[in-house]
Amino acid sequence: MAKQTHRIGILGSGNIFGRYVTGLARYPELEVVRVADIDVARAKRAAADHSIPAWGDDRELYADDSVDIVVNLTPPVHHARTIITALEAGKHVYVEKPLATTVTDGEAVLAAASRTGRVLGSAPDTFLGSAAQTARKAIDSGLIGTPIGASAFIGHSKAETWHPNPAFLFQPGGGPVMDMGPYYLAVLVNCLGPVSTVSAAARIGVPERTVTAPERTVDTIEVTIPTHTGAILTFASGVIATTQMSFDVWDSDLPYLEIYGSEGTLSLANPNHFDGDVRLRRHGDGDWTVLAPALELFGAVGTREQARRGLGVRDLANAVEGGPHRADAAFAFHVLEALCALEGSAQQGRSVTLNSSCERPQPLFTV
């Protein structure tokens, strides 16, 4: 992993900011030196709360020659513009998911990275954690035989109950497909390879949501995008995955994610977390077996450590130094195109074939 010190400026000091600062603090070679926000007062408070030496607006961040990596935590609708500006300012960029909100914008940021020669990486990075890597190792080792199918079920994050203003989750660029879908798709592509076609149907469940978060800044929000999507994804390998992505399913006993093979089944924990049990049940087994983690855990399971972020930034820093890049822009773009294809398929009432592909990221475990 990265050996030299990288100086990081974080763009955006909203809800997920503290999770990144806490996670990056695990790595002394990743030094957070500046925070920027359109609300400079909020940036100043964030800097004071986390002992970050410099703060200001986005222009000051782009102009800071001491910053070599920008971690972009702006809302998704601003990703493309801010990524391109940071790249053109000479910064390497790691952006929160999704890479962009449209395929066209995704293509524009890929072109900017190529044009500037800077390294671009994107969340989600949870597939770099022990759970997804353990599942990948089990598949690559043949423990379930030939992969045949998969299922993924996304339930409601209940954001209305804890986020002060979750309106962005119910507007273009949000919704269960774009908000939570990247975590699940990234794990599936890491384990099974690229997606070739998708077919989906979608609807709005409740057109107006009541916000009950204790520190809410709004009382109600209008829903303008589908909040319940069902889809079938066919992978280039022939694997067929069934997915349900919903902000209308508040409670369920469905599994998060399962992968089915000719000789057994893998059941994974929440793909939004780095770690968690990966269970295997081969044909003929009397019960499930919890597999030994293929990697050291990023955080203690069942604690707030599971909410912190940073592995993807460390991955990007390693790539800047010439190492392998796993959460790279091509991988993130393919996940983005698959998610946009789900939305397009539902709107058009037909199957959609993807134009992009990607390599499965190099595994972190040793065989």
Side-chain angles (χ1 to χ4, degrees):
M1 284 296 181
K3 299 178 176 64
Q4 67 189 55
T5 298
H6 294 272
R7 293 169 62 85
I8 293 170
I10 299 180
L11 179 60
S13 56
N15 184 63
I16 202 171
F17 172 81
R19 303 183 193 184
Y20 270 89
V21 174
T22 302
L24 292 172
R26 297 190 65 196
Y27 307 111
E29 69 273 20
L30 303 179
E31 182 183 1
V32 180
V33 298
R34 177 177 284 275
V35 54
D37 200 289
I38 192 171
D39 182 343
V40 176
R42 185 166 70 170
K44 183 178 181 179
R45 288 193 301 272
D49 289 344
H50 296 278
S51 301
I52 298 170
W55 66 89
D57 62 21
D58 55 344
R59 292 170 296 179
E60 293 172 289
L61 172 58
Y62 301 139
D64 189 340
D65 291 335
S66 72
V67 171
D68 63 307
I69 295 175
V70 168
V71 174
N72 187 339
L73 307 183
T74 60
V77 292
H78 301 301
H79 282 182
R81 173 181 58 83
T82 51
I83 290 170
I84 292 170
T85 303
L87 291 169
E88 291 179 341
K91 314 300 185 187
H92 306 292
V93 179
Y94 181 83
V95 65
E96 245 304 320
K97 53 80 189 168
L99 180 70
T101 57
T102 68
V103 170
T104 299
D105 281 350
E107 290 171 339
V109 299
L110 291 184
S114 177
R115 182 173 67 249
T116 60
R118 300 293 87 185
V119 180
L120 173 61
S122 176
D125 57 353
T126 47
F127 77 90
L128 301 175
S130 69
Q133 292 293 313
T134 299
R136 167 76 178 269
K137 184 175 183 179
I139 293 168
D140 290 359
S141 300
L143 291 183
I144 63 168
T146 302
I148 296 171
S151 61
F153 299 103
I154 297 173
H156 197 356
S157 61
K158 304 179 182 179
E160 299 100 309
T161 67
W162 56 266
H163 197 291
N165 184 2
F168 70 99
L169 293 174
F170 299 90
Q171 298 169 350
V177 172
M178 285 300 203
D179 181 50
M180 296 301 295
Y183 298 108
Y184 289 70
L185 260 292
V187 170
L188 287 171
V189 173
N190 173 62
C191 286
L192 302 171
V195 178
S196 59
T197 62
V198 303
S199 181
R203 60 166 292 183
I204 292 175
V206 180
E208 185 177 86
R209 303 284 178 125
T210 300
V211 180
T212 60
E215 299 180 2
R216 62 187 177 275
T217 58
V218 296
D219 293 319
T220 61
I221 50 179
E222 181 184 1
V223 179
T224 59
I225 56 168
T227 52
H228 188 93
T229 298
I232 296 174
L233 297 87
T234 302
F235 289 75
S237 65
V239 174
I240 299 172
T242 304
T243 70
Q244 175 180 282
M245 304 179 182
S246 182
F247 280 172
D248 294 295
V249 176
W250 282 66
D251 301 287
S252 172
D253 287 327
L254 292 169
Y256 288 103
L257 196 155
E258 292 183 341
I259 299 173
Y260 314 109
S262 59
E263 297 179 23
T265 295
L266 286 173
S267 182
L268 282 69
N270 189 345
N272 191 18
H273 297 163
F274 290 96
D275 310 294
D277 287 347
V278 176
R279 299 183 302 144
L280 167 70
R281 189 165 183 172
R282 289 171 56 84
H283 299 343
D285 287 352
D287 206 346
W288 295 88
T289 299
V290 176
L291 298 177
L295 304 175
E296 176 186 355
L297 302 189
F298 184 61
V301 177
T303 73
R304 290 183 61 83
E305 291 181 353
Q306 287 291 288
R308 63 191 180 187
R309 294 290 189 256
L311 279 183
V313 182
R314 192 184 185 208
D315 176 63
L316 180 135
N318 184 56
V320 168
E321 297 178 26
H325 196 189
R326 296 173 174 89
D328 67 9
F331 180 88
F333 178 80
H334 181 69
V335 170
L336 170 67
E337 190 190 3
L339 295 171
C340 290
L342 289 180
E343 294 183 332
S345 174
Q347 292 168 359
Q348 300 163 24
R350 64 177 182 86
S351 177
V352 174
T353 299
L354 274 66
N355 292 315
S356 71
S357 187
C358 69
E359 298 293 329
R360 288 203 303 166
Q362 181 177 322
L364 282 158
F365 56 82
T366 55
V367 179

